[in-house]
Amino acid sequence: PRYQADLAASYNCLGALLEGLGRAADAEAAYRQALAVGERLAADHPAVPGYRDDLADSLNNLASLLDGLGRRADAE
């Protein structure tokens, strides 16, 4: 689980970096990879609230990106 948590965090950080560089499509892909890993981790270890917290951060980052792109329905 520790490796998976680090992997999800790395994808989330990569998404933020790419977003800052104006590479929205790549940032979206990185955030979605963070979500995929984070969702599995949270589902497999429901007793660890930190995994759900990290998942929420990734969801928030993706939603913020999509909202900024004018894709409000997707952001919701």
Side-chain angles (χ1 to χ4, degrees), residues 12-52:
N12 197 40
C13 289
L14 177 60
L17 174 68
L18 292 168
E19 185 176 355
L21 293 173
R23 295 173 52 187
D26 293 330
E28 181 179 352
Y31 287 141
R32 291 194 184 278
Q33 287 179 299
L35 289 174
V37 175
E39 286 170 349
R40 282 192 310 270
L41 191 58
D44 290 346
H45 304 280
V48 182
Y51 296 152
R52 292 189 310 279

Side-chain angles (χ1 to χ4, degrees), residues 2-14:
R2 178 77 177 135
Y3 164 78
Q4 294 299 312
D6 288 346
L7 180 62
S10 294
Y11 280 132
N12 197 40
C13 289
L14 177 60

Side-chain angles (χ1 to χ4, degrees), residues 45-61:
H45 304 280
V48 182
Y51 296 152
R52 292 189 310 279
D53 184 52
D54 293 343
L55 178 60
D57 287 342
S58 295
L59 284 167
N60 186 61
N61 288 343

